[in-house]
Amino acid sequence: MAHLHRITRYAIVAAALSVLAACASNMQPAQRILAQIQAAVTAASADAEKYIPDQLKDVQDQLSRLQAAFDKQDYSTVITAGPGVLAAAQGLAPAAAAKKTEVMQTLNGEWTEVAGKLPAKLTAIQQRIEELSQRSNRKMAQDIDLPAAKTAISEATSLWSKAQAAFASGNLDEAVSTAKEDRTKLGDIAESIKM
């Protein structure tokens, strides 16, 4: 009987050691896959955050769930679900690059359109303000606030310079948004001087 107790105890200890060994052997692959996913997410984060934020958040949420499973020592879940999450994480960089290319093409087109029209409009408005400022045209300028128009055209000129500087430095996003703001301002000025 004592001999049977001893054998049972050894069997229990052996089973426990076997479970611990299995857990330890699964822990390293689970850690490795989590590190790979984290590295892929980190590498893609800057562009992914700007161009595909929903896709990035989805992968980050999946990574958080895997990390929670790992923290609970549920390594098999990490090993089973990890490859799919890793593939999604590795897909972030190319997806963000594709979206960035698409956005840049759109912005380039918008810049080309605005840059083709804005300087001529700016010049025409400046000439109209100068014309209205002459003494011989006082009657035409009677209901127009010329000092305000001069201030506004000066601001519009500065905005256009800012847009051009942004374009020259490669910041298409800022260049286009500034140029659009300037286009709106010029429209307001043209209306104010009855052009």
Side-chain angles (χ1 to χ4, degrees):
M1 186 75 119
H3 182 51
L4 188 57
H5 254 350
R6 207 175 299 143
I7 291 175
T8 305
R9 246 188 283 154
Y10 285 129
I12 290 171
V13 169
L17 287 174
S18 169
V19 167
L20 285 174
C23 283
S25 69
N26 282 342
M27 184 175 127
Q28 286 182 343
Q31 265 181 331
R32 199 169 22 256
I33 201 158
L34 283 174
Q36 290 171 335
I37 294 167
Q38 186 60 55
V41 168
T42 301
S45 282
D47 279 348
E49 206 170 289
K50 185 172 183 178
Y51 297 105
I52 52 167
D54 294 341
Q55 197 172 337
L56 175 63
K57 185 179 180 336
D58 183 47
V59 171
Q60 288 172 327
D61 290 346
Q62 291 178 58
L63 175 58
S64 294
R65 287 192 289 276
L66 288 180
Q67 186 62 55
F70 182 85
D71 292 344
K72 292 177 187 169
Q73 298 179 355
D74 183 3
Y75 306 127
S76 61
T77 295
V78 176
I79 292 169
T80 304
V85 178
L86 179 58
Q90 290 170 335
L92 289 173
K99 185 66 176 177
K100 181 178 182 177
T101 299
E102 179 187 321
V103 167
M104 287 300 144
Q105 286 174 342
T106 301
L107 287 173
N108 232 336
E110 290 178 6
W111 173 259
T112 301
E113 179 193 336
V114 172
K117 296 176 182 174
L118 206 65
K121 190 171 187 177
L122 187 62
T123 302
I125 292 172
Q126 284 173 326
Q127 289 172 347
R128 175 73 172 159
I129 290 173
E130 286 171 18
E131 181 186 333
L132 292 172
S133 297
Q134 294 173 1
R135 284 184 177 212
S136 58
N137 295 326
R138 260 192 213 159
K139 217 171 199 177
M140 260 193 322
Q142 191 173 355
D143 298 329
I144 296 173
D145 186 353
L146 281 175
K150 288 178 181 178
T151 301
I153 198 67
S154 174
E155 290 169 1
T157 303
S158 293
L159 268 179
W160 177 235
S161 295
K162 181 181 173 188
Q164 289 176 308
F167 180 77
S169 69
N171 190 346
L172 265 177
D173 202 8
E174 183 184 338
V176 170
S177 67
T178 305
K180 285 180 175 179
E181 180 185 344
D182 198 25
R183 181 174 59 191
T184 302
K185 187 170 201 59
L186 288 174
D188 294 343
I189 298 168
E191 192 178 315
S192 76
I193 60 172
K194 300 176 183 176
M195 188 173 170

